[in-house]
Amino acid sequence: MSSPSAPGALRGGDVTSSTSTSLYPERPGESRAFEAETVTSFPTKSTESRDAYLDNAKYWLILIVVWNHSLQDFLRGVDRYELREWCGGDSVNVLTHQHARTVYLALNAIGMPLFTAISGYCSRGWLRAAREDEASAAHLLSRVRGASSSLIGTFVGWQLFYMAILYYDVTPAQFWAPIGITWYLLALFMWRTSILVLGGLRDRYILASSLFMGLFVGFTDTATTANGMTFFDLQRIFAFSPYFFFGLLVVKPKYLEQLHDTPYSRRAPPGFITLVVTYVLLYIGMYGTGTKCFDEAQRFIWTIEPYGTSEIYSPFLGCLYRIALYAATCVVGAAFMAIIPSESQMYTALGQRTLYCYLLHILLLRGYDKLMRWTWNDAPLSFRIVASGLWLPLIVSHLTLSPYMNVFKCVVEPDFSSLWRSSRTKSVL
């Protein structure tokens, strides 16, 4: 998976935020979007507050993304060890590896979908800008420039980097085919800028349109590039768009406020129970009634390719499965948010630096995997599963979330302000 987590206005290293992540709605006169001498429609607060609840959620979600990629490397190693073919079953440590695969699929269903929804929730400033009767062209332009710098600029840099270090895996190199985690930078830019066009519609029509595109794209054979990768990763961008617009339009501050105010002892147990039941059902579905194809299930959750066409009814069955996936991710997403503490924790501040972890963690995980293959290729699987399932994701996530990663600021948060003509307006994006 590419995860699959990612940026808003990326000043501050936050993967999801646009400007502020405050849980509560702003009072009149507190728009966070714009500060200017001549434009007074969008005043801003001099300081921005953050909400510990959302930062806690983003911390755990980015940890899930790292854990997910770490397990992915472990399972690839298992496949090499077992010489497992496509849709083949495990031949050693069967029960352990089946549970590892089930955990991996569950993390895929929680991590990026919920991160995308939170990105949508944190993009409400874009919707206000699109719907403001007195919205100034300078304000909208400021947002697009900020997104172009923080998202497209970062995408270009990291895409070129991956094209260089993975040249033999992606040859012939195709710039317009996102490699690995870069797809989310491109996706978030497209989702946020589309708000400026779709914002004039009623909420239900925007949500219905995104849901329609998320389902309909599976019936289409989107273009692939010469190296076999998908052009702009359009399948995944459209398939994930309902999560983004759900967070933007359906998740209201008052709902999170109610969840925030509910005692943890009342909301956490139902959340834990729901997650455990979901895991059990997933395991039974995969292995309790005959082994299902793990490889197909993995690619289905990734939503990176069209529905199957082996039978005349296959595309329609795939569409029904995707509807079920959307429903399931909403349920487990709500359950996950229910177990997130509302108060500030020792890790809360790390939730503000998710962009650094998102972009850097994959290098450390892949580096560790290659190092093990060169130096200890016959390491026992028991060691590998403990490493990949426990201490490696913890070490990598906290290392890449630490302030020491500021040394990579020039490539994680590149500053392209010098590209724009100077004006009397000042963007806080």
Side-chain angles (χ1 to χ4, degrees), residues 406-417:
N406 286 340
V407 297
F408 297 104
K409 185 180 176 111
C410 60
V411 292
V412 174
E413 300 181 88
D415 184 7
F416 294 99
S417 58

Side-chain angles (χ1 to χ4, degrees), residues 32 58 75 102 127 146 206 222 279 329 429:
R32 302 169 302 197
K58 285 182 280 189
L75 293 175
T102 305
L127 188 63
I206 300 177
T222 47
Y279 174 82
T329 50
L429 292 173

Side-chain angles (χ1 to χ4, degrees), residues 127 130-131 194-210 249:
L127 188 63
R131 291 179 170 176
S194 70
I195 295 174
L196 301 181
V197 178
L198 299 175
L201 300 174
R202 296 182 184 274
D203 287 0
R204 59 178 177 269
Y205 296 129
I206 300 177
L207 193 61
S209 298
S210 68
L249 303 170

